[in-house]
């Protein structure tokens, strides 16, 4: 019997990206159109240099994003605040009032531009209390920075050492464990209360750690948390395609210039904004779960953050296209995107201007 083919076209509500790095200046202008073409909204990370740790800095960045948006593109940046050890609870309350959607916890030293982050979670309990009081979700980069912990175990250890006690100590704080990479994270989130959720990237659904070393070292597949072994990738695919509303889309698209990646000490970050929803469609098709893509990409995130889903629709069509070897990143640099020079199996059809509204 011939195997029934899944339909070659999918229409879903326009998706949102719940974890995105847009950078600033010329890099922002270069990468923003990729995300704006695919997503109605994106939760924008605050790890600029200097970090966005005041309300004024966050709101000024929001204005720069909106100014960099090409005319006619509808896209709403959802802003986040960078938690620092010196922050006052009042900053949390002011940010919540101004519509900042979440505060981001970077353990100090865990990743790119995280040096200003938190060393000691105990010392910032008043910030978590303030967040709990105003119901502002806490978005967490969940890795320990303890150098004695193996880099592949840092997420698992963070959950036991820090996240489990935090969930216990702040019983109504809403928490998003960002870009999860392990089966332990999948289980912790699945077994936790409704106020605990997780984002999952396309690259962690499509690649395991072997890809980092395929024929030689692959700096453009290096990100944090680093890709894990196949068993973990399978657990992530199962979670993303399960229909469980605790899991939703967050690309963690993180552009770095080619020179910063192809270096003796290359930066962490994978650029995926150019093909983000298409890559998720590939992962969901491989799992035989395309019918679950809309929930993961367009419904679960807004439900968690208390926002309505987008009204516009996006059409994805099966059919390969070749990703450029690089995209310009400002005047003097370029970014090497995920799948550079290779094919992506799905394409996003251009939306009519009327459908461009979020
Ligand atoms: O790979 C990553 N890149 N992980 C992060 O947590 C930060 C990001 C970046 O900003 O480049
Ligand atoms: Zn990130």
């Amino acid at each position: 019997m011939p195997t029934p083919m899944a339909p070659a076209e999918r229409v879903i509500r326009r998706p949102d990206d719940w974890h995105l790095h847009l950078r600033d200046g010329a890099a922002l202008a270069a990468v923003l159109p990729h995300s704006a073409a695919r997503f109605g909204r994106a939760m924008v990370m605050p790890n600029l240099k200097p970090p966005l740790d005041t309300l004024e800095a966050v709101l000024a960045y929001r204005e720069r994003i909106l100014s960099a948006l090409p005319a006619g593109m509808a896209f709403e940046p959802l802003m986040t605040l960078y938690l620092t050890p010196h922050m006052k609870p009042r900053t949390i309350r002011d940010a919540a009032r101004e519509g900042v959607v979440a505060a981001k916890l970077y353990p100090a030293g865990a990743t790119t531009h995280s040096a200003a982050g938190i060393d000691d979670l105990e010392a910032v309990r008043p910030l978590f209390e303030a967040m709990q009081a105003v119901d502002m979700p806490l978005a967490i980069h969940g890795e320990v920075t303890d150098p004695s912990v193996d880099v592949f175990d840092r997420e698992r250890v963070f959950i036991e050492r820090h996240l489990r006690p935090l969930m216990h100590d702040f019983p109504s704080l809403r928490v998003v464990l960002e870009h999860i990479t392990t089966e332990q994270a999948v289980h912790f989130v699945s077994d936790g209360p409704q106020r605990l959720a997780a984002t999952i990237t396309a690259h962690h659904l499509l690649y395991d750690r072997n890809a980092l070393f395929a024929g030689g070292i692959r700096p453009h597949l290096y990100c944090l948390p680093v890709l894990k072994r196949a068993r973990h990738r399978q657990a992530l695919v199962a979670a993303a395609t399960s229909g469980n509303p605790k899991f939703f889309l967050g690309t963690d698209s993180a552009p770095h210039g080619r020179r910063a990646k192809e270096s003796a000490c290359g930066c962490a970050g994978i650029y995926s904004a150019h093909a983000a929803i298409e890559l998720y469609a590939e992962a969901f098709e491989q799992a035989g779960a395309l019918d679950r893509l809309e929930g993961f990409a367009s419904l679960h995130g807004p439900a968690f953050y208390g926002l309505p889903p987008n009204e516009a629709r996006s059409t994805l069509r099966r059919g390969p296209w070749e990703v450029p070897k690089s995209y310009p990143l400002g005047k003097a640099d370029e970014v090497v995107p995920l799948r550079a020079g290779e094919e992506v199996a799905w394409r996003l059809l251009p939306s009519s201007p009327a459908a461009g509204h979020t």
Side-chain angles (χ1 to χ4, degrees):
M1 250 192 16
T3 34
M5 282 284 286
E9 211 164 273
R10 284 273 153 180
V11 180
I12 60 171
R13 269 183 195 262
R14 187 158 150 85
D16 299 307
D17 183 351
W18 293 96
H19 185 124
L20 176 64
H21 299 271
L22 283 175
R23 312 306 191 205
D24 212 345
L28 164 64
V31 300
L32 179 59
H34 283 156
S35 292
R38 287 166 178 78
F39 298 104
R41 297 166 289 201
M43 196 170 101
V44 184
M45 290 299 119
N47 63 332
L48 300 186
K49 238 179 159 173
L52 301 181
D53 61 353
T54 66
L55 177 59
E56 293 68 32
V58 172
L59 296 180
Y61 183 43
R62 181 172 184 277
E63 289 309 310
R64 295 199 295 283
I65 296 169
L66 291 173
S67 313
L69 194 63
M73 287 191 111
F75 172 79
E76 187 186 351
L78 302 172
M79 305 313 290
T80 60
L81 180 70
Y82 188 120
L83 294 180
T84 66
H86 315 291
M87 187 175 283
K88 300 275 181 289
R90 185 169 47 80
T91 303
I92 301 280
R93 290 191 287 273
D94 292 347
R97 211 176 34 244
E98 290 297 319
V100 171
V101 294
K104 179 73 192 263
L105 168 63
Y106 286 106
T111 187
T112 306
H113 300 165
S114 63
I118 307 295
D119 257 331
D120 176 8
L121 292 184
E122 287 298 309
V124 292
R125 289 178 73 94
L127 298 182
F128 299 145
E129 272 153 22
M131 292 179 69
Q132 189 169 244
V134 296
D135 197 25
M136 178 188 273
L138 176 66
I140 302 182
H141 183 111
E143 288 192 287
V144 292
T145 52
D146 180 346
S148 72
V149 177
D150 189 279
V151 68
F152 291 96
D153 294 333
R154 286 181 187 176
E155 180 176 281
R156 178 172 66 74
V157 173
F158 182 91
I159 290 169
E160 293 309 324
R161 227 181 248 181
H162 300 298
L163 186 53
R164 198 181 286 282
L166 183 86
M167 294 295 296
H168 174 267
D169 291 356
F170 299 92
S172 57
L173 182 64
R174 286 193 298 138
V175 173
V176 184
L177 188 53
E178 299 287 345
H179 43 53
I180 59 169
T181 62
T182 58
E183 62 183 4
Q184 288 85 4
V186 166
H187 291 148
F188 186 77
V189 172
S190 301
D191 295 347
Q194 285 308 316
R195 63 189 172 92
L196 174 64
T199 56
I200 307 181
T201 76
H203 44 275
H204 288 102
L205 292 176
L206 290 165
Y207 297 95
D208 65 43
R209 67 189 192 178
N210 288 297
L212 274 167
F213 308 105
I217 193 149
R218 304 285 188 154
H220 298 290
L221 284 176
Y222 173 57
C223 65
L224 286 171
V226 70
L227 296 170
K228 304 296 191 299
R229 61 168 71 241
R231 191 180 73 232
H232 297 291
R233 185 184 77 82
Q234 285 152 12
L236 297 173
V237 170
T241 61
S242 65
N244 185 339
K246 290 174 151 191
F247 298 103
F248 44 85
L249 185 158
T251 62
D252 201 13
S253 177
H256 290 276
R258 179 195 282 278
R259 282 188 302 277
K261 294 286 290 175
E262 298 174 5
S263 145
C265 187
C267 294
I270 293 178
Y271 185 67
S272 63
H274 63 295
I277 190 63
E278 300 91 321
L279 289 163
Y280 280 104
E282 250 190 63
F284 274 66
E285 182 175 40
Q286 280 170 22
L290 269 176
D291 56 328
R292 300 261 168 91
L293 179 64
E294 184 178 46
F296 177 80
S298 317
L299 303 176
H300 301 168
F304 183 86
Y305 280 96
L307 295 170
N310 295 316
E311 277 308 325
R313 301 296 192 273
S314 300
T315 307
L316 288 153
R317 181 176 291 166
R318 193 193 297 101
W321 58 284
E322 194 179 311
V323 174
K325 290 202 167 61
S326 68
Y327 291 103
L329 190 69
K331 271 209 179 68
D333 215 339
E334 56 184 3
V335 59
V336 177
L338 187 56
R339 290 274 171 87
E342 295 170 28
E343 282 184 352
V344 171
W346 285 77
R347 58 176 72 235
L348 178 70
L349 299 192
S351 55
S352 64
H357 297 292
T358 56

